[in-house]
Amino acid sequence: MAERVLVIGSGGREHALAWKLAQSPHVQQVLVAPGNAGTANSGKISNSAVSVNNHSILAQYCKDHNVGLVVVGPEVPLAAGIVDDLTAAGVTCFGPSAKAAQLEASKSFSKSFMDRHNIPTARWNSFTDPQDACKYIQDAEFPALVVKASGLAAGKGVVVARDKDEARKAVLDIMKDKAFGSAGETVVVEEQLEGEEVSCLCFSDGITVSPMPPAQDHKRLLDGDQGPNTGGMGAYCPTPQVSEEVLQEIKRSVLQKTVDGMREEGTPYVGVLYAGVMLTKQGPKVLEFNCRFGDPECQVLMPLLKSDLYEVLKNTLQADLSSSPVQWLENSTAVTVVMASGGYPASYKKGLEITGLSQVSEMGIQVFHAGTALKEGGGVITSGGRVLTVTAVRPTLESALCSANEGVAVISFPDAVYRRDIGHHAITYLTRTRGLTYKDSGVDIAAGNRLVDVIKPLAKATSRPGQSSLVYQESDLPLSQLSHYVVITARIAQACGIHSTLGQDLVAMCVNDVLAQGAEPLFFLDYFSCGHLDVRVASSVIGGIADACQMAGCALLGGETAEMPGVYGPSDYDLAGFCVGAVERGAVLPRLKDIMEGDLLIGVASSGLHSNGFSLVRKILERTSLQYSSPAPFGQPGQNIGEVLLTPTKIYSRLLQPILRSGAVKAYAHITGGGLLENIPRILPPELAVDLDASRWRIPAVFSWLQREGSLSEEEMSRTFNCGLGAVLVVSKQDAQRVLRLLQAQEEAWIVGSLAHKQPGAETVVIRNLEQSLKDSPGRSPDTSVLQNGALHGEHSTRKRTRVAVLISGTGTNLQALMEQVKKPSSSAEIVMVISNRPGVMGLKRASMAVLFVCQVVDHKLYGSRAEFDGTIDKVLEEFRVELVCLAGFMRILTGPFVRKWSGRFYSITLLTVFLFITSAALLL
């Protein structure tokens, strides 16, 4: 028997729900309370004047009119307990209980819930005192620029500030000036996340979640995401930026976790759950939860719903989603454009006549009404801020947007405001210029990884007692034995006629991998195969191998030469190498049990490509029409491209062996094929993630050139190339500076990042500032056409960062500003240490959170004189090779000898001079 359904609400969302419900054969009539002009007497749909605020009256109305299902649209009735009250009265109602609706009604509750259940979200805190909130904004180690009224504010209670001053003003507006009324009695201050924002909704029966296609709302009033924040000026669905893999991750780590968590806390969540998600580089993170259909997201979801909405809602209420999958239209995109009143979201006129509605319906375009009313005597007039949502469903996003805009053009009312660029993020994503990838050059890293997974069991089946990975641990051997095997193509070397450097590449690949196990390389064997044995070429290659073995400190025991005409071309050859090393049983790396959150990563400079990514390099060279003999747009003056590309791989054995023996290194990643993204995770426990800052190391200009000419993405660069780091070491924070000094005595090395707990769904390796650092890398400005003519070549001088020590005595406000400035890739300075003359001050806590430099206390109370105190400071500065001293709120008078020694190299800093100090640091030297 067909039922009568009551929809609560008056907006475009409620019109869309009523429109979809009316299509069900199980529905006799759809009542909408209070409704709008679009839901008044439209087929099965009509409005009801029943009061929705008095739940007792509403329950009796439902019984009197045989309403079999109530569907609640907006959030306020849900938070007020409408579902609880109607259910208690025996009326079936779709939506979460008041307690479950706290996920939306209280931002503070929601954020605490996410923390309790390890659901990824921005860092945050809540406040009832505006001064505390402002202090948090000022002192936070992250950009705390998002200010939210904790309560319900009709979707408008969020301010994303441009800077700290604006964020503090938002706090005062919300809490003192009551911009959002009682909703702002508590505010939540959050970290500002970077990425693409999407709306991910699902049906939940309390156990099972059924995701809807991801959508994207457009909050700003004007095109280009300009103008004030609104309730939403349009939406599109689905979003191509959210792959099926990402959607499944959101389902697992956000939607299902939320429903499971609510059930575990005794509050089953039944209804529609809406997660506003930011797609960050660390993975999807929740911005906020809503407990109902979004508006205008609902207006693009309902037209794409293939299933009967009434059946879906019933199955949800009966906990039967798992056996009744929800179906959606395929190969279709929906776009809705909101038409708003002039002056919205501030004050606006009402009662303006709307024309063109009948013509639009003939165009196959659906118009959902929001702020509309029937005019006495006929016609439709405006009665709200958001007036109409014009929705088109077409095979493509572009065609759907075009049709929706055509519909908007037909409709008219005075001073109408609307956007013409709904979906512009997706269109940019779909039409972006796709750069080259390693796969384009014929190398599929993902396929290689899959092969490794397939053959692992085969290799494991051959293991012998005592074997662990590549390491044999046998009781009759004082040392374990280690072997490695590698094959290198020599195509570029053949084309350039340079063969001697390949020997070092071959040895380095093997030896550096042996070192990564903590082992000392003992001996090496080579294999040389060719189509025709050219003694001159072969002797050059083998001579390079012998020289490299001497550099590595291992013996070249011999090898094999194979001449195979028909298999190789006459001038073609390949190399293979085999290295055996030894390591004490207790010194095998990585020491996974010792690696922990807060450990630092030290990067050791590469010499260039290090034999990796050459297939992609060749593809890029084809694109530029350059030859290996062309003058290099990177490298040293006088070098051609081939010579720079064949710069031999660095051998790290003599540099790293003493440090490895000291036990200070917990793990060592040899950055080879797979780049930074693939190699670093192999040495880490699964629960840890890496935060790298590319502005902290020198990136050779060859990488900038390859990225630019190949239009390579950041991910492709960091997955294919070493980007300037040939080795990455994991050390404790306490050992970091000692290890760094030992390395820097012989080689370029930097503290490049740190380890942190891995958030669910996040990437294991996040590299900040890579794109900007590639742009800033030396050698970016020369033009290829000029280089081809040989008129200009050579690498610009590398920017050297000035080593700065900051002396503090208190809260470290100026120190915070300095730290923020030096993080920028354009900065000419790096802070290497912070010294405080007072223990336990806030400034030390700020510095310790940065983790990338040393914090030291030199307590003036422990010294008999100022001269003795200053002498100690001087020794510490010398030890850390400090070049500039910055006094940032340092409350001690320095003695004459100290001032004279550091004359011209120390400065007293205020907030007004921070920027000038940092940007001119190199010039001051």
Side-chain angles (χ1 to χ4, degrees), residues 215-413:
Q216 188 172 63
D217 184 11
H218 294 64
K219 287 294 187 184
R220 296 288 183 173
L221 179 69
L222 305 175
D223 286 349
D225 294 327
Q226 301 297 311
N229 224 24
T230 70
M233 292 300 293
Y236 67 95
C237 178
T239 54
Q241 303 94 313
V242 181
S243 65
E244 181 61 29
E245 181 182 4
V246 172
L247 183 59
Q248 289 304 312
E249 176 60 30
I250 293 171
K251 176 185 177 182
R252 183 193 65 80
S253 66
V254 175
L255 302 176
Q256 189 66 60
K257 267 194 174 183
T258 301
V259 171
D260 291 346
M262 293 296 283
R263 186 175 66 254
E264 290 167 8
E265 295 191 5
T267 310
Y269 190 98
V270 178
V272 169
L273 177 64
Y274 169 147
V277 174
M278 185 72 83
L279 304 177
T280 75
K281 291 183 178 180
Q282 294 80 28
K285 292 189 178 183
V286 178
L287 296 171
E288 63 179 1
F289 285 121
N290 292 329
C291 294
R292 32 73 190 183
F293 282 102
D295 186 345
E297 288 92 344
C298 188
Q299 290 91 303
V300 289
L301 286 165
M302 289 302 99
L304 294 178
L305 179 61
K306 189 176 181 180
S307 296
D308 184 317
L309 177 60
Y310 177 83
E311 292 179 359
V312 173
L313 301 185
K314 280 289 192 177
N315 289 336
T316 302
L317 291 171
Q318 294 165 7
D320 198 27
L321 278 178
S322 60
S323 60
S324 305
V326 181
Q327 302 295 318
W328 300 88
L329 291 179
E330 297 180 357
N331 303 317
S332 297
T333 297
V335 171
T336 193
V337 178
V338 172
M339 300 185 70
S341 299
Y344 174 80
S347 60
Y348 48 83
K349 294 181 180 178
K350 297 181 181 180
L352 304 175
E353 186 170 0
I354 304 170
T355 61
L357 293 172
S358 58
Q359 293 95 307
V360 173
S361 61
E362 298 171 1
M363 300 167 61
I365 296 171
Q366 181 64 42
V367 179
F368 296 115
H369 289 236
T372 63
L374 294 175
K375 181 182 178 182
E376 290 186 14
V380 178
I381 57 175
T382 65
S383 65
R386 292 190 293 173
V387 179
L388 303 167
T389 53
V390 182
T391 305
V393 178
R394 298 291 186 268
T396 67
L397 174 61
E398 292 88 344
S399 59
L401 176 57
C402 182
S403 295
N405 284 339
E406 288 174 356
V408 169
V410 172
I411 301 171
S412 177
F413 57 89

Side-chain angles (χ1 to χ4, degrees), residues 55-136:
H55 298 170
S56 297
I57 294 175
L58 182 61
Q60 190 59 49
Y61 173 88
C62 291
K63 293 176 181 179
D64 294 344
H65 291 79
N66 298 315
V67 173
L69 175 66
V70 177
V71 180
V72 184
E75 64 275 16
V76 173
L78 292 170
I82 189 171
V83 174
D84 308 72
D85 293 341
L86 292 183
T87 302
V91 177
T92 303
C93 187
F94 180 85
S97 66
K99 196 171 180 181
Q102 287 298 294
L103 280 175
E104 177 175 7
S106 171
K107 301 291 189 299
S108 181
F109 169 85
S110 175
K111 297 292 284 190
S112 296
F113 174 86
M114 284 186 268
D115 284 352
R116 288 197 299 275
H117 294 279
N118 203 24
I119 295 169
T121 188
R123 291 173 284 186
W124 70 286
N125 211 332
S126 64
F127 303 93
T128 55
D129 185 320
Q131 297 306 316
D132 290 343
C134 290
K135 187 176 187 302
Y136 180 79

Side-chain angles (χ1 to χ4, degrees), residues 1-8 14 17-33 44-48 61-62 65-72 91-94 308-311 313-314 317:
M1 177 180 174
E3 283 194 329
R4 184 173 284 122
V5 178
L6 173 64
V7 176
I8 305 295
E14 289 71 39
L17 290 171
W19 171 80
K20 191 64 182 178
L21 285 165
Q23 297 173 16
S24 173
H26 304 294
V27 175
Q28 170 194 351
Q29 183 184 17
V30 180
L31 301 170
V32 186
K44 288 185 182 180
I45 306 171
S46 59
N47 290 339
S48 170
Y61 173 88
C62 291
H65 291 79
N66 298 315
V67 173
L69 175 66
V70 177
V71 180
V72 184
V91 177
T92 303
C93 187
F94 180 85
D308 184 317
L309 177 60
Y310 177 83
E311 292 179 359
L313 301 185
K314 280 289 192 177
L317 291 171

Side-chain angles (χ1 to χ4, degrees), residues 424-690:
H424 69 98
H425 288 289
I427 292 173
T428 300
Y429 176 83
L430 292 170
T431 59
R432 70 196 188 283
T433 301
R434 196 180 76 86
L436 285 175
T437 66
Y438 209 179
K439 191 173 182 179
D440 293 331
S441 67
V443 180
D444 190 340
I445 293 176
N449 291 337
R450 290 195 298 272
L451 174 62
V452 170
D453 292 336
V454 170
I455 64 178
K456 272 181 181 177
L458 305 179
K460 188 175 182 180
T462 69
S463 64
R464 55 182 288 179
Q467 180 187 347
S468 175
S469 184
L470 292 176
V471 180
Y472 292 90
Q473 296 183 342
E474 300 184 314
S475 58
D476 59 336
L477 288 176
L479 295 173
S480 56
Q481 300 172 13
L482 183 69
S483 63
H484 189 78
Y485 186 84
V486 67
V487 177
I488 300 177
T489 182
R491 303 255 184 254
I492 294 180
Q494 293 157 357
C496 298
I498 301 173
H499 305 280
S500 59
T501 61
L502 288 186
Q504 182 169 331
D505 288 328
L506 179 65
V507 173
M509 286 293 105
C510 298
V511 164
N512 290 341
D513 267 2
V514 165
L515 284 170
Q517 306 292 327
E520 177 182 354
L522 298 179
F523 60 84
F524 187 86
L525 295 168
D526 69 76
Y527 171 79
F528 180 92
S529 57
C530 60
H532 168 70
L533 183 58
D534 184 324
V535 174
R536 181 187 60 82
V537 171
S539 62
S540 178
V541 172
I542 305 303
I545 293 174
D547 291 341
C549 284
Q550 285 189 332
M551 294 170 59
C554 66
L556 176 59
L557 292 188
E560 181 178 345
T561 300
E563 191 172 12
M564 294 185 285
V567 176
Y568 295 97
S571 62
D572 292 344
Y573 63 85
D574 270 343
L575 294 174
F578 180 90
C579 182
V580 173
V583 59
E584 293 289 351
R585 187 175 293 123
V588 176
L589 297 180
R591 303 200 311 268
L592 293 177
K593 293 182 179 179
D594 294 339
I595 300 172
M596 63 185 64
E597 186 174 4
D599 282 348
L600 300 186
L601 275 68
I602 295 179
V604 184
S606 69
S607 58
L609 297 180
H610 277 202
S611 309
N612 291 117
F614 277 106
S615 297
L616 183 53
V617 171
R618 290 197 300 270
K619 196 76 174 177
I620 293 171
L621 283 173
E622 290 172 8
R623 173 181 280 196
T624 62
S625 300
L626 290 173
Q627 306 299 319
Y628 295 124
S629 58
S630 302
F634 39 76
Q636 300 302 318
Q639 286 186 301
N640 62 38
I641 289 176
E643 290 169 338
V644 179
L645 295 180
L646 291 174
T647 301
T649 304
K650 286 184 177 179
I651 296 175
Y652 296 115
S653 55
R654 295 193 185 276
L655 171 69
L656 291 183
Q657 278 183 50
I659 300 173
L660 296 180
R661 292 193 196 105
S662 74
V665 176
K666 300 180 180 183
Y668 161 20
H670 180 203
I671 310 302
T672 57
L676 297 166
L677 296 187
E678 298 267 344
N679 286 286
I680 297 178
R682 293 170 183 160
I683 63 169
L684 298 179
E687 69 273 11
L688 293 180
V690 177

Side-chain angles (χ1 to χ4, degrees), residues 566-826:
V567 176
Y568 295 97
S571 62
D572 292 344
Y573 63 85
D574 270 343
L575 294 174
F578 180 90
C579 182
V580 173
V583 59
E584 293 289 351
R585 187 175 293 123
V588 176
L589 297 180
R591 303 200 311 268
L592 293 177
K593 293 182 179 179
D594 294 339
I595 300 172
M596 63 185 64
E597 186 174 4
D599 282 348
L600 300 186
L601 275 68
I602 295 179
V604 184
S606 69
S607 58
L609 297 180
H610 277 202
S611 309
N612 291 117
F614 277 106
S615 297
L616 183 53
V617 171
R618 290 197 300 270
K619 196 76 174 177
I620 293 171
L621 283 173
E622 290 172 8
R623 173 181 280 196
T624 62
S625 300
L626 290 173
Q627 306 299 319
Y628 295 124
S629 58
S630 302
F634 39 76
Q636 300 302 318
Q639 286 186 301
N640 62 38
I641 289 176
E643 290 169 338
V644 179
L645 295 180
L646 291 174
T647 301
T649 304
K650 286 184 177 179
I651 296 175
Y652 296 115
S653 55
R654 295 193 185 276
L655 171 69
L656 291 183
Q657 278 183 50
I659 300 173
L660 296 180
R661 292 193 196 105
S662 74
V665 176
K666 300 180 180 183
Y668 161 20
H670 180 203
I671 310 302
T672 57
L676 297 166
L677 296 187
E678 298 267 344
N679 286 286
I680 297 178
R682 293 170 183 160
I683 63 169
L684 298 179
E687 69 273 11
L688 293 180
V690 177
D691 179 14
L692 293 178
D693 184 351
S695 69
R696 300 192 66 86
W697 75 83
R698 181 182 65 83
I699 299 180
V702 60
F703 295 111
S704 296
W705 185 84
L706 290 169
Q707 188 271 336
R708 183 175 72 256
E709 296 300 328
S711 300
L712 305 181
S713 67
E714 289 185 60
E715 181 178 9
E716 200 64 33
M717 284 295 300
S718 51
R719 194 178 297 280
T720 304
F721 301 113
N722 63 61
C723 296
L725 299 180
V728 173
L729 312 179
V730 178
V731 299
S732 69
K733 188 176 178 183
Q734 292 74 21
D735 290 331
Q737 286 297 331
R738 178 172 62 86
V739 172
L740 187 63
R741 287 197 299 274
L742 291 171
L743 290 169
Q744 288 178 338
Q746 304 177 61
E747 183 59 81
E748 282 188 290
W750 313 267
I751 295 177
V752 297
S754 59
L755 298 182
H757 180 73
K758 184 181 179 183
Q759 296 296 326
E763 297 290 339
T764 302
V765 179
V766 175
I767 307 177
R768 294 180 287 112
N769 299 317
L770 179 58
E771 182 177 6
Q772 187 60 48
S773 296
L774 285 165
K775 289 179 180 178
D776 290 346
S777 179
R780 178 165 175 78
S781 56
D783 180 76
T784 301
S785 60
V786 177
L787 291 164
Q788 283 179 294
N789 297 327
L792 176 64
H793 58 76
E795 184 167 359
H796 288 194
S797 59
T798 303
R799 184 182 74 239
K800 177 180 178 294
R801 289 194 169 208
T802 303
R803 297 173 63 83
V804 177
V806 183
L807 275 57
I808 64 171
S809 295
T811 59
T813 303
N814 292 341
L815 169 63
Q816 185 69 45
L818 284 167
M819 290 192 297
E820 291 173 2
Q821 284 291 331
V822 299
K823 286 180 182 178
K824 298 179 180 179
S826 58

